[in-house]
Amino acid sequence: MTLEEKPRVLVTRRMPSAVLSPLYRACEVDFHDHSQALTHTALCDRLVEKDGLICMFNDRIDEAALSVASGLKVIAAVAVGVDNIDVPAAKARGIIVTNTPDILTRATAELTWGLLLAVTRRVGEGDRVLRDGGWTGWTFDFLLGTELHGKQLGIIGAGRIGQAVAAVAPAFGMRVVCAAWPRQTQRNKKPFECPVLSLDELLLTSDIVSLHVPLTAETHHLINRRTLVRMKRSAFLINTSRGGVVDDVALAWALDQRLIAGAGLDVFEDEPNVNRELAKKENVCLTPHLGSATRETRTAMGELAVRNVLEVLAGRSPVTPVSLNV
Ligand code: DGY
């Protein structure tokens, strides 16, 4: 790059122009202005000679992508989860990886409660019955749900989002427990006052189990046949973290066997595909990865990613770098 050349930045998905305008002022922007993702091959092709990358959680930034981008200095994920990025490989090449923590906490916690309420109070079933013209009138025992008051919410992954979900529970008269998840609890700066149980104890005693761990080798299929059988038959599973944390086939099996009462799922193992067995079940409420999908949050995520890129390309520290132990 000569002195007058602007740094080149690839943006892999459509984002509002107001969010990108500071980037346009300082950089030469290669903007994939589409809602569909680039293929991996196209992504690699467009990464050649880039200095910066703004990518989404479902762009795979692996060794192959990194190896074509010899001049890359910064990868700014518009996401908190960075399981799609080979962070150690990026760091080994001196590339700074950033994400967008905190600003999506509230939106994701709200959606978690949305799913939790929807599945315990059978909102999806009620909506379908009405639309299908199947409602014949009020009856005493129609679509009875589960009340939250006095129940136990088990948080697996008491990081920022897990804590924000937990904070709402007292308003519903619920008690909260969390699973001992050392890496996450250590990172928390705020004290999070709740009993810490082993994973098994949490599964055995909770009425709602809500997942908020990042997807890592350690958490992949954390919810599987062995862990599902530990849950109460009356319990509900909520997942707004990453699809890979739950073994979808095992979950469909557990629901078939009536080992748990239902599930609220925003994320799936093979997105955008949804396990067909899960999708057939009345006691499962599904949303298409909407955790951070509010106008306010997505705008803030985009702005933060842009800021991170600009800081690094100006030779300064990014606002929200990803540490190696994510
Ligand atoms: C994230 O931030 O990790 C979400 O899954 C994408 O919004």
Side-chain angles (χ1 to χ4, degrees), residues 135-156:
W135 191 39
T136 52
W138 191 94
T139 56
F140 189 77
D141 56 357
F142 184 53
L143 285 185
L144 298 185
T146 299
E147 200 152 309
L148 297 179
H149 188 90
K151 301 281 169 32
Q152 178 172 304
L153 172 63
I155 300 282
I156 301 182

PDB file of all heavy atoms in Angstrom, residues 135-156:
ATOM      1  N   TRP A 135     -60.099 -23.688  16.177  1.00  0.00           N
ATOM      2  CA  TRP A 135     -60.558 -23.313  17.526  1.00  0.00           C
ATOM      3  C   TRP A 135     -62.073 -23.300  17.557  1.00  0.00           C
ATOM      4  O   TRP A 135     -62.721 -22.588  16.803  1.00  0.00           O
ATOM      5  CB  TRP A 135     -60.013 -21.931  17.896  1.00  0.00           C
ATOM      6  CG  TRP A 135     -60.208 -21.587  19.337  1.00  0.00           C
ATOM      7  CD1 TRP A 135     -60.081 -22.413  20.409  1.00  0.00           C
ATOM      8  CD2 TRP A 135     -60.577 -20.302  19.864  1.00  0.00           C
ATOM      9  NE1 TRP A 135     -60.321 -21.744  21.575  1.00  0.00           N
ATOM     10  CE2 TRP A 135     -60.638 -20.441  21.280  1.00  0.00           C
ATOM     11  CE3 TRP A 135     -60.850 -19.060  19.303  1.00  0.00           C
ATOM     12  CZ2 TRP A 135     -60.970 -19.384  22.120  1.00  0.00           C
ATOM     13  CZ3 TRP A 135     -61.174 -18.012  20.148  1.00  0.00           C
ATOM     14  CH2 TRP A 135     -61.235 -18.175  21.531  1.00  0.00           C
ATOM     15  N   THR A 136     -62.624 -24.110  18.447  1.00  0.00           N
ATOM     16  CA  THR A 136     -64.085 -24.208  18.508  1.00  0.00           C
ATOM     17  C   THR A 136     -64.658 -23.432  19.684  1.00  0.00           C
ATOM     18  O   THR A 136     -65.857 -23.482  19.947  1.00  0.00           O
ATOM     19  CB  THR A 136     -64.503 -25.695  18.616  1.00  0.00           C
ATOM     20  OG1 THR A 136     -63.774 -26.275  19.689  1.00  0.00           O
ATOM     21  CG2 THR A 136     -64.242 -26.447  17.319  1.00  0.00           C
ATOM     22  N   GLY A 137     -63.767 -22.724  20.411  1.00  0.00           N
ATOM     23  CA  GLY A 137     -64.253 -21.919  21.536  1.00  0.00           C
ATOM     24  C   GLY A 137     -63.516 -22.264  22.819  1.00  0.00           C
ATOM     25  O   GLY A 137     -62.824 -23.286  22.906  1.00  0.00           O
ATOM     26  N   TRP A 138     -63.671 -21.377  23.808  1.00  0.00           N
ATOM     27  CA  TRP A 138     -62.965 -21.532  25.091  1.00  0.00           C
ATOM     28  C   TRP A 138     -63.395 -22.804  25.798  1.00  0.00           C
ATOM     29  O   TRP A 138     -64.584 -23.088  25.884  1.00  0.00           O
ATOM     30  CB  TRP A 138     -63.291 -20.317  25.974  1.00  0.00           C
ATOM     31  CG  TRP A 138     -62.435 -20.225  27.209  1.00  0.00           C
ATOM     32  CD1 TRP A 138     -61.284 -19.530  27.350  1.00  0.00           C
ATOM     33  CD2 TRP A 138     -62.690 -20.851  28.485  1.00  0.00           C
ATOM     34  NE1 TRP A 138     -60.787 -19.686  28.616  1.00  0.00           N
ATOM     35  CE2 TRP A 138     -61.624 -20.486  29.340  1.00  0.00           C
ATOM     36  CE3 TRP A 138     -63.696 -21.683  28.977  1.00  0.00           C
ATOM     37  CZ2 TRP A 138     -61.546 -20.912  30.659  1.00  0.00           C
ATOM     38  CZ3 TRP A 138     -63.610 -22.116  30.304  1.00  0.00           C
ATOM     39  CH2 TRP A 138     -62.546 -21.732  31.125  1.00  0.00           C
ATOM     40  N   THR A 139     -62.455 -23.572  26.241  1.00  0.00           N
ATOM     41  CA  THR A 139     -62.792 -24.711  27.109  1.00  0.00           C
ATOM     42  C   THR A 139     -61.845 -24.690  28.297  1.00  0.00           C
ATOM     43  O   THR A 139     -60.754 -24.112  28.227  1.00  0.00           O
ATOM     44  CB  THR A 139     -62.676 -26.075  26.396  1.00  0.00           C
ATOM     45  OG1 THR A 139     -61.370 -26.192  25.866  1.00  0.00           O
ATOM     46  CG2 THR A 139     -63.696 -26.226  25.278  1.00  0.00           C
ATOM     47  N   PHE A 140     -62.242 -25.346  29.340  1.00  0.00           N
ATOM     48  CA  PHE A 140     -61.543 -25.282  30.621  1.00  0.00           C
ATOM     49  C   PHE A 140     -60.088 -25.775  30.526  1.00  0.00           C
ATOM     50  O   PHE A 140     -59.192 -25.242  31.157  1.00  0.00           O
ATOM     51  CB  PHE A 140     -62.313 -26.143  31.626  1.00  0.00           C
ATOM     52  CG  PHE A 140     -61.837 -25.997  33.029  1.00  0.00           C
ATOM     53  CD1 PHE A 140     -62.181 -24.888  33.786  1.00  0.00           C
ATOM     54  CD2 PHE A 140     -61.039 -26.975  33.612  1.00  0.00           C
ATOM     55  CE1 PHE A 140     -61.734 -24.751  35.084  1.00  0.00           C
ATOM     56  CE2 PHE A 140     -60.592 -26.846  34.908  1.00  0.00           C
ATOM     57  CZ  PHE A 140     -60.945 -25.729  35.644  1.00  0.00           C
ATOM     58  N   ASP A 141     -59.869 -26.789  29.721  1.00  0.00           N
ATOM     59  CA  ASP A 141     -58.554 -27.441  29.738  1.00  0.00           C
ATOM     60  C   ASP A 141     -57.839 -27.390  28.384  1.00  0.00           C
ATOM     61  O   ASP A 141     -57.012 -28.226  28.075  1.00  0.00           O
ATOM     62  CB  ASP A 141     -58.703 -28.897  30.166  1.00  0.00           C
ATOM     63  CG  ASP A 141     -59.685 -29.645  29.286  1.00  0.00           C
ATOM     64  OD1 ASP A 141     -60.284 -29.004  28.384  1.00  0.00           O
ATOM     65  OD2 ASP A 141     -59.843 -30.861  29.478  1.00  0.00           O
ATOM     66  N   PHE A 142     -58.160 -26.377  27.582  1.00  0.00           N
ATOM     67  CA  PHE A 142     -57.559 -26.297  26.250  1.00  0.00           C
ATOM     68  C   PHE A 142     -56.169 -25.661  26.316  1.00  0.00           C
ATOM     69  O   PHE A 142     -55.987 -24.599  26.906  1.00  0.00           O
ATOM     70  CB  PHE A 142     -58.478 -25.484  25.338  1.00  0.00           C
ATOM     71  CG  PHE A 142     -58.010 -25.414  23.914  1.00  0.00           C
ATOM     72  CD1 PHE A 142     -57.714 -26.572  23.195  1.00  0.00           C
ATOM     73  CD2 PHE A 142     -57.872 -24.190  23.277  1.00  0.00           C
ATOM     74  CE1 PHE A 142     -57.289 -26.509  21.877  1.00  0.00           C
ATOM     75  CE2 PHE A 142     -57.447 -24.116  21.960  1.00  0.00           C
ATOM     76  CZ  PHE A 142     -57.157 -25.276  21.266  1.00  0.00           C
ATOM     77  N   LEU A 143     -55.185 -26.308  25.725  1.00  0.00           N
ATOM     78  CA  LEU A 143     -53.804 -25.809  25.614  1.00  0.00           C
ATOM     79  C   LEU A 143     -53.242 -25.302  26.954  1.00  0.00           C
ATOM     80  O   LEU A 143     -52.694 -24.191  27.033  1.00  0.00           O
ATOM     81  CB  LEU A 143     -53.691 -24.704  24.557  1.00  0.00           C
ATOM     82  CG  LEU A 143     -53.738 -25.133  23.084  1.00  0.00           C
ATOM     83  CD1 LEU A 143     -53.483 -23.938  22.159  1.00  0.00           C
ATOM     84  CD2 LEU A 143     -52.717 -26.227  22.780  1.00  0.00           C
ATOM     85  N   LEU A 144     -53.404 -26.100  27.957  1.00  0.00           N
ATOM     86  CA  LEU A 144     -52.880 -25.697  29.268  1.00  0.00           C
ATOM     87  C   LEU A 144     -51.358 -25.710  29.237  1.00  0.00           C
ATOM     88  O   LEU A 144     -50.740 -26.639  28.704  1.00  0.00           O
ATOM     89  CB  LEU A 144     -53.381 -26.645  30.356  1.00  0.00           C
ATOM     90  CG  LEU A 144     -54.906 -26.679  30.533  1.00  0.00           C
ATOM     91  CD1 LEU A 144     -55.264 -27.569  31.731  1.00  0.00           C
ATOM     92  CD2 LEU A 144     -55.481 -25.283  30.725  1.00  0.00           C
ATOM     93  N   GLY A 145     -50.782 -24.686  29.789  1.00  0.00           N
ATOM     94  CA  GLY A 145     -49.324 -24.569  29.778  1.00  0.00           C
ATOM     95  C   GLY A 145     -48.729 -24.781  31.157  1.00  0.00           C
ATOM     96  O   GLY A 145     -49.364 -25.330  32.056  1.00  0.00           O
ATOM     97  N   THR A 146     -47.487 -24.315  31.287  1.00  0.00           N
ATOM     98  CA  THR A 146     -46.746 -24.462  32.537  1.00  0.00           C
ATOM     99  C   THR A 146     -46.486 -23.085  33.106  1.00  0.00           C
ATOM    100  O   THR A 146     -45.973 -22.210  32.397  1.00  0.00           O
ATOM    101  CB  THR A 146     -45.396 -25.159  32.257  1.00  0.00           C
ATOM    102  OG1 THR A 146     -45.663 -26.452  31.727  1.00  0.00           O
ATOM    103  CG2 THR A 146     -44.545 -25.281  33.502  1.00  0.00           C
ATOM    104  N   GLU A 147     -46.851 -22.886  34.373  1.00  0.00           N
ATOM    105  CA  GLU A 147     -46.617 -21.581  34.995  1.00  0.00           C
ATOM    106  C   GLU A 147     -45.157 -21.467  35.429  1.00  0.00           C
ATOM    107  O   GLU A 147     -44.547 -22.456  35.843  1.00  0.00           O
ATOM    108  CB  GLU A 147     -47.540 -21.454  36.202  1.00  0.00           C
ATOM    109  CG  GLU A 147     -47.748 -20.041  36.619  1.00  0.00           C
ATOM    110  CD  GLU A 147     -49.115 -19.906  37.297  1.00  0.00           C
ATOM    111  OE1 GLU A 147     -50.126 -20.356  36.714  1.00  0.00           O
ATOM    112  OE2 GLU A 147     -49.146 -19.379  38.406  1.00  0.00           O
ATOM    113  N   LEU A 148     -44.600 -20.275  35.346  1.00  0.00           N
ATOM    114  CA  LEU A 148     -43.186 -20.094  35.690  1.00  0.00           C
ATOM    115  C   LEU A 148     -42.971 -19.831  37.177  1.00  0.00           C
ATOM    116  O   LEU A 148     -41.913 -20.145  37.726  1.00  0.00           O
ATOM    117  CB  LEU A 148     -42.596 -18.929  34.886  1.00  0.00           C
ATOM    118  CG  LEU A 148     -42.589 -19.117  33.365  1.00  0.00           C
ATOM    119  CD1 LEU A 148     -42.013 -17.891  32.679  1.00  0.00           C
ATOM    120  CD2 LEU A 148     -41.801 -20.361  32.980  1.00  0.00           C
ATOM    121  N   HIS A 149     -43.968 -19.234  37.816  1.00  0.00           N
ATOM    122  CA  HIS A 149     -43.815 -18.845  39.226  1.00  0.00           C
ATOM    123  C   HIS A 149     -43.396 -20.055  40.074  1.00  0.00           C
ATOM    124  O   HIS A 149     -44.001 -21.120  39.988  1.00  0.00           O
ATOM    125  CB  HIS A 149     -45.124 -18.264  39.756  1.00  0.00           C
ATOM    126  CG  HIS A 149     -44.955 -17.685  41.117  1.00  0.00           C
ATOM    127  ND1 HIS A 149     -44.611 -16.363  41.319  1.00  0.00           N
ATOM    128  CD2 HIS A 149     -45.047 -18.253  42.332  1.00  0.00           C
ATOM    129  CE1 HIS A 149     -44.493 -16.158  42.617  1.00  0.00           C
ATOM    130  NE2 HIS A 149     -44.763 -17.277  43.253  1.00  0.00           N
ATOM    131  N   GLY A 150     -42.357 -19.863  40.880  1.00  0.00           N
ATOM    132  CA  GLY A 150     -41.907 -20.931  41.788  1.00  0.00           C
ATOM    133  C   GLY A 150     -41.015 -21.975  41.116  1.00  0.00           C
ATOM    134  O   GLY A 150     -40.569 -22.918  41.763  1.00  0.00           O
ATOM    135  N   LYS A 151     -40.753 -21.787  39.833  1.00  0.00           N
ATOM    136  CA  LYS A 151     -39.951 -22.786  39.127  1.00  0.00           C
ATOM    137  C   LYS A 151     -38.465 -22.373  39.119  1.00  0.00           C
ATOM    138  O   LYS A 151     -38.120 -21.245  39.433  1.00  0.00           O
ATOM    139  CB  LYS A 151     -40.457 -22.934  37.681  1.00  0.00           C
ATOM    140  CG  LYS A 151     -41.913 -23.356  37.589  1.00  0.00           C
ATOM    141  CD  LYS A 151     -42.059 -24.827  37.826  1.00  0.00           C
ATOM    142  CE  LYS A 151     -43.467 -25.323  38.021  1.00  0.00           C
ATOM    143  NZ  LYS A 151     -44.549 -24.686  37.353  1.00  0.00           N
ATOM    144  N   GLN A 152     -37.632 -23.319  38.709  1.00  0.00           N
ATOM    145  CA  GLN A 152     -36.185 -23.080  38.690  1.00  0.00           C
ATOM    146  C   GLN A 152     -35.670 -22.919  37.265  1.00  0.00           C
ATOM    147  O   GLN A 152     -35.895 -23.784  36.421  1.00  0.00           O
ATOM    148  CB  GLN A 152     -35.461 -24.241  39.366  1.00  0.00           C
ATOM    149  CG  GLN A 152     -33.936 -24.095  39.346  1.00  0.00           C
ATOM    150  CD  GLN A 152     -33.268 -25.147  40.192  1.00  0.00           C
ATOM    151  OE1 GLN A 152     -33.547 -25.289  41.391  1.00  0.00           O
ATOM    152  NE2 GLN A 152     -32.384 -25.921  39.587  1.00  0.00           N
ATOM    153  N   LEU A 153     -34.971 -21.820  37.057  1.00  0.00           N
ATOM    154  CA  LEU A 153     -34.317 -21.575  35.764  1.00  0.00           C
ATOM    155  C   LEU A 153     -32.847 -21.951  35.896  1.00  0.00           C
ATOM    156  O   LEU A 153     -32.139 -21.405  36.734  1.00  0.00           O
ATOM    157  CB  LEU A 153     -34.446 -20.087  35.402  1.00  0.00           C
ATOM    158  CG  LEU A 153     -33.663 -19.589  34.180  1.00  0.00           C
ATOM    159  CD1 LEU A 153     -34.134 -20.271  32.894  1.00  0.00           C
ATOM    160  CD2 LEU A 153     -33.793 -18.072  34.041  1.00  0.00           C
ATOM    161  N   GLY A 154     -32.405 -22.884  35.083  1.00  0.00           N
ATOM    162  CA  GLY A 154     -30.998 -23.315  35.100  1.00  0.00           C
ATOM    163  C   GLY A 154     -30.261 -22.706  33.922  1.00  0.00           C
ATOM    164  O   GLY A 154     -30.596 -22.957  32.772  1.00  0.00           O
ATOM    165  N   ILE A 155     -29.273 -21.879  34.241  1.00  0.00           N
ATOM    166  CA  ILE A 155     -28.512 -21.192  33.192  1.00  0.00           C
ATOM    167  C   ILE A 155     -27.205 -21.951  32.968  1.00  0.00           C
ATOM    168  O   ILE A 155     -26.397 -22.108  33.892  1.00  0.00           O
ATOM    169  CB  ILE A 155     -28.172 -19.739  33.636  1.00  0.00           C
ATOM    170  CG1 ILE A 155     -29.453 -18.925  33.902  1.00  0.00           C
ATOM    171  CG2 ILE A 155     -27.256 -19.042  32.636  1.00  0.00           C
ATOM    172  CD1 ILE A 155     -30.159 -18.414  32.688  1.00  0.00           C
ATOM    173  N   ILE A 156     -27.002 -22.403  31.771  1.00  0.00           N
ATOM    174  CA  ILE A 156     -25.721 -23.040  31.438  1.00  0.00           C
ATOM    175  C   ILE A 156     -24.940 -22.031  30.616  1.00  0.00           C
ATOM    176  O   ILE A 156     -25.282 -21.752  29.472  1.00  0.00           O
ATOM    177  CB  ILE A 156     -25.939 -24.364  30.674  1.00  0.00           C
ATOM    178  CG1 ILE A 156     -26.775 -25.323  31.512  1.00  0.00           C
ATOM    179  CG2 ILE A 156     -24.585 -24.985  30.311  1.00  0.00           C
ATOM    180  CD1 ILE A 156     -27.022 -26.676  30.878  1.00  0.00           C
TER     181      ILE A 156
END
